[in-house]
Amino acid sequence: MLLAVFMYTAVTAFVVFSLGKARQYARHPLANRWELYPVPGEPGVSYGGSYYEEAEWWTRPRQISRAGQYGAVLQEMLFMKSLFVNQRKFWWFSYPMHLGIYLLGLFTLLLLAGAVTEMFGMPLTASDGVSSHTWAALVYWATAVAGFAGIFLTTCGSAALLINRVADGTLRKYTTGAEYFNLFFILAAAVSGLVAWSTDPGFNYNRGVVAAMLAFAPVRAGLPLTVHLVLFGALLIYIPRTKMSHYIGKYFAYHKVLWDNEPNLKGSALERIVEKNLVNRPRDGWSSPHTKSTETGKS
Amino acid sequence: MDKLKPHDMSRPPAEQLASLDHLMPLPPPYDKQDMEPGLKPVKDTWRETYCTSLDGFVGNDNLKRPGSKSEEEEFINKFLSGLDKLFARETNSGFLTPFNLAFEYCARCGVCSEACHVFQASGGKEVYRPLFRSDTLRRLYKSYKKQGRPAARFTGGSVGINAEALLRLGELAYRCNLCRRCAQTCPLGLDNSVIAREIRALFSMEMGMAPTLLHERGTVLQLKTGSSTGMNKNAFLDNIEFIEEDLYERLGKKYKFPIDKKGADILLIHNAGEFLSWPDNPAAFAILFTEAGLDWTMSSELAGYDAVNYGIWYDDAQARKISLAQRRAARELGVRRIVIGECGHAHRAAAVSSDRLAVGEDNIPRESSFPILQDIVRSGAIKFDPLRNNFPVTLHDPCNIVRSMGVVMPQRQILRALCPQFREMAPHGVNNYCCGGGGGFAVMRNMNFPEWEMKVSARMKFKQILEAFQDKIEDPTIPKYICAPCSNCKGAFRDMLNYYQATARFNVQYGGIVELMVNAMAMFDRPYFEWLEEF
């Protein structure tokens, strides 16, 4: 039961800490505009143009392509396009790890689907192998492929990133102990997953763990799986407290800084927020005398 | 490989961390020996007073060495108190999000270094790596917050906090042009320039240490006299009168600058440096706006005739005050819109940086002059003869207008229409390189800093120019024109062409876009460029 409680705690901590981090940034005061072109969704995105390219831009309806925005987000999320374009070598190390993590997310959903399927009386396996039922077989094989690919890619990627950081003199110079530890932690969790997989290639025990958690029943797992679950759970608790929570940071970096070119038009909702901000702006924070003065030279 | 690490920033003052040897090579004809001036030695008195222990140059002349132990302690304490304020919503609301993100999430992948012209032009000096600067700040902060604890070392807090480290960091904040090219390549969308800018802000707003030419003789002077040049209302009006007379003598037609015309459609604001250094530029605007029949005016009120806002480079308080003074000048005239002349940082300061600083009556629309100029060409309101500009022309993209504001095509369309030999630099548009004068460097003429600017921060742009004109560069009979639609960029080009003697040796000229437009106007029977009459 202890393992089950730990896993509930880990998942809850991941969600709560991640939301907490997002909330921390979401509660920041409205930032000064600091956009950087190209901004996806702008008509001139192919060369980096903006609405400022038209005379009297504020008199024209803004043209924003939501499809363009979502497309850019997806390219960045799914393929890490920026890294691919600007630092190909690093992409070859980093992308497998991230793709592996995405696949492990999918794997978790498939485990959930498999556990629910079995709870409804349709086992994924039969005494002679995989169930002959199409849905059950599909879930079984999809879980097996996503799970193995996810663990394998995460292991390779994190190992490559770790080795690269140690081997590359420039990276080594700037890498902190915490950053080595982060990569090592991911690698350890992934390797333990590989070991657990070697004893259970169909991930049947993993599915059993999910089923037990859904039923609030004690989790039963062998030593390899227990070690993996402990490491994985600890990683879930740890990630949101570190800069590995960049899945949150990146959202704010793009949507609230680099791509936020919403103009403060007279009478707009944004102007009302700006007004509120200006009213609440503290006026006595910095120490240099010139910051105390509101004098603009005009009497 | 350069072995320098962030924790070396706290080394004793006698140790200079970097020197300018083995810089990025330049293309022909500057690949030959003796084409480039040598470096002047650092004066001993500077070493005693200022921080030359970073790289031998003094960017911030107000960053002076503490004289005693107690002054040193006060210096450090003030820095740490300012550091806390950078992370507080009460004191840093406008930059809290971008600063925190850049501070917290950097993966130290080093992609930014590949994009940074300063790092590349220096031949890869570690001290100029964008990550070196930001990581020094991170490590100082960790050292400060986790003093003595094992966690400090584990998270990178290994930089000793002493006066020398802070002095060097203060100087290092002025080795970044704030061009934001690095941010474009960051896989996490983080911006190293915001860290450089915030270090500058800390030194200015908490410690009162900003370069004289940006602060006392920059923003403070602007708020006192009306212009960072020190030009007051009367001097401004005298200058306008002089320009009007000069135009009449040269072109034989009288043009009158409308001043303080109430209820005009457009308030046109130039960088006031134009009136003193490049009067042909505001004069060309007057010709074009008048001939196109626009309803425009200029203001003679405080800050209403100077679009500059150096505050955006180093100090939020100054930036806000100047921005509001400019808005007030527009409001008092009752104009419908503010149009910014050819000044990059003024574009961004007026249209973008200050966008969320004013509401109601002060919330007057601001826009770039480039789309208006493009419309003039498109509309046919003025007849142009492109053959008058039949010499090689290349375009410099001011970072603030292009990368930070997204105004990319209008200026190109004008040049494509009016300059038969127009050629792009590589790279260009939003991927351009800074002129080297960005972030205030074109203004900071103190001590030996201009030498660093010319050798390092302007080097990549000079390389681009040589490459753009490579087919004609060695023929001095062919004028080659760098179109730089930004006052500070023009300042950098003026100094660059003078430093490398590129005008004297190879007839490389520079100027704005409106001068090219007027030069192509069919109604005038002589060139607008005086240097063109020599050929």
Side-chain angles (χ1 to χ4, degrees), chain B residues 199-264:
Chain B
I199 298 169
R200 294 178 180 195
L202 186 167
F203 274 94
S204 178
M205 296 201 290
E206 188 67 9
M207 306 169 81
M209 293 176 166
T212 303
L213 289 163
L214 296 187
H215 191 64
E216 285 91 348
R217 286 171 58 194
T219 57
V220 172
L221 194 60
Q222 186 175 10
L223 290 166
K224 191 176 163 198
T225 65
S227 166
S228 60
T229 60
M231 181 167 58
N232 62 21
K233 179 176 181 168
N234 290 335
F236 164 70
L237 293 173
D238 283 349
N239 267 302
I240 293 297
E241 201 179 319
F242 168 79
I243 293 170
E244 286 170 345
E245 286 168 7
D246 183 60
L247 270 183
Y248 180 59
E249 274 177 32
R250 286 168 58 193
L251 304 175
K253 182 168 180 182
K254 280 192 173 169
Y255 286 98
K256 186 83 188 151
F257 284 66
I259 305 289
D260 297 332
K261 181 180 161 190
K262 293 264 183 191

Side-chain angles (χ1 to χ4, degrees), chain B residues 281-294:
Chain B
N281 183 276
F285 265 101
I287 293 168
L288 291 165
F289 276 28
T290 304
E291 295 295 343
L294 300 180

Side-chain angles (χ1 to χ4, degrees), chain A residues 21 25 27 32-35 37 50 53 56 165 173-174 178-179 243 264 271 285-288 290, chain B residues 2 94 104 106-108 126 154 180 191 204-206 315 321 336 355 367 403 405-406 408-409:
Chain A
K21 180 62 95 177
Y25 276 101
R27 285 165 59 93
N32 287 351
R33 281 176 59 183
W34 197 257
E35 70 247 33
Y37 292 88
S50 75
E53 290 194 311
E56 300 188 56
R165 286 218 167 251
K173 193 184 294 188
Y174 292 97
E179 284 158 337
K243 70 175 177 183
N264 169 25
E271 192 188 43
W286 294 91
S287 302
S288 290
H290 74 267
Chain B
D2 193 336
E104 183 175 2
C106 173
R108 296 171 172 92
E126 199 63 28
F154 186 62
R180 308 185 70 207
D191 191 343
S204 178
M205 296 201 290
E206 188 67 9
D315 192 301
K321 283 185 268 187
R336 196 169 69 87
D355 189 39
E367 66 176 321
R403 196 156 29 243
M405 210 173 142
V408 183
M409 291 312 283

